[in-house]
Amino acid sequence: MADPRGFLKVRQRETQPRRPVPVRIMDWKEVYEAQEKGVLKAQAGRCMDCGVPFCHQGCPLGNLIPEWNDLAWRDKGEEAIERLHATNNFPEWTGRLCPAPCEASCVLGINQPAVTIKQVEVSIIDEAFENGWVNPLPPTRLTGKTVAVVGSGPAGLAVAQQLTRVGHTVAVYERDDKIGGLLRYGIPDFKMEKEQVDRRVEQMKVEGTRFRTGVAVGTDVTWEQLRRRYDAVVVATGATVPRNLPIPGRDFEGVHFAMDYLVPANRVVAGETVENQIHAKGKHVVILGGGDTGADCLGTAHRHGAASVTTLAIGKQPPAERAGHQPWPTFPTLFEMASAHEEGGERTYLASTVEFVGENGKLTGVKVAETEFVDGKRLPKAGTERIIPADLVFLSLGFTGAEPAGITEQVSADFDGRGNVSRDGYYMTNTEGIFVAGDAGRGQSLIVWAIAEGRACAAAVDKFLMGSTILPAPVAPTDRAIAVL
């Protein structure tokens, strides 16, 4: 364990500092600063010998958290990254983007603030990159088997890296011009700069993974063609169909899905030229939806110089402390202050959007009403309507499933009632040899689940191809471990 009395000596939780708001909204660099080494070691030392480390079950990857906390406290960074990489292919992503369900199940969190697990994780991997401890791991032999992975988000890249390392020849297909999926063009740089994606892609290239960008599977090449060309195909396209809000005025100019705003903004930050970019400079912006994507829109609008930004959520404001029906070690729904919320804007809860208001086809405002609950339904309360001035509205209401992209017609893979590609307990669709991992199969979820499913799906594919596997399988589609693998 780490310091045996660490949790008694250091009772205060100290997280990674953020750059001052007036400074960071002037650029697109990550908002976080590096934590001082002594503070980090003290925080890692709070990890206690708790007997049963519930952080293991809180993390879908089963990260060996007490082990690398101990190694970080002992300043053994090279050993720490070895333990961290044993369960997580991309800790620099989870350490920046994961909401840390591990911390919600930390035993210390019963009566003290939880250990800063996420901060220790990202510090370990950042130090490893700085010191050259992250090296390619090419296979010692090739199996002669080939695998196509469609989609280059965290699930697809986890599948590809695992299968490449055991000797299969893997090609990753991506319809965008660069690898990374939503990590590349959906996540703003102020949350994660794209160097974090680029250097992993370079590592994977050296290991032997092949990348095919600018290829839309289903049109440029069919699923059936991939099925004939490769021994196995993995669908890792994500859940990218946005949830719409079909109310009066939806067709007004100025009402957009969140990704229609974020993707071009990220391309411009990357140095690309984007025609007719949606820009918030000097405009009144309303964001519908209070989740991570809404916060991304909020931070982007601040950096664009919006005149005002209002975030509307239909439900109640979450509590600051655990609710009784979400006891430890479950992952609670809590009121959170993301970095973008620190930068300004108004957050309004119990706000039902009734209508988009406009003139001559252009948006001028949003009519909202207070939300009331009737027979378990959330409805706008009559007589409470008001209009919020708005030049732009971004719909950040989540996603409803994977894009069909011809998969049903071309290889007869079925979709379930939730818009996800159907699969069995071994990640295979109803078409033999075609697998699905990540959000495409489980629906919109966390990055840590995507990587965990990618690793488990890789084990299932390897077993399908070779009859057995040495790859770890942290989770099954039913959220339980696949013991038989």
Side-chain angles (χ1 to χ4, degrees), residues 283-287 297-298 301-302 306-311 344-347:
K283 296 183 178 180
H284 298 286
V285 177
V286 173
I287 301 167
C297 291
L298 177 63
H302 288 150
S308 70
V309 189
T310 303
T311 301
E346 180 181 343
R347 301 172 78 178

Side-chain angles (χ1 to χ4, degrees), residues 406-451:
I407 189 170
T408 299
E409 298 81 2
Q410 294 170 11
V411 289
S412 302
D414 292 337
F415 281 71
D416 62 23
R418 296 170 54 237
N420 306 317
V421 183
S422 298
R423 56 192 182 174
D424 62 16
Y426 300 94
Y427 293 90
M428 191 185 293
T429 68
N430 55 296
T431 301
E432 185 177 11
I434 297 183
F435 298 78
V436 59
D439 289 3
R442 70 179 289 114
Q444 180 186 359
S445 190
L446 307 178
I447 183 173
V448 69
W449 272 112
I451 298 173

Side-chain angles (χ1 to χ4, degrees), residues 386-399:
R386 63 188 177 96
I387 294 178
I388 301 174
D391 303 301
L392 289 172
V393 167
F394 300 127
L395 304 182
S396 177
L397 305 173
F399 300 87

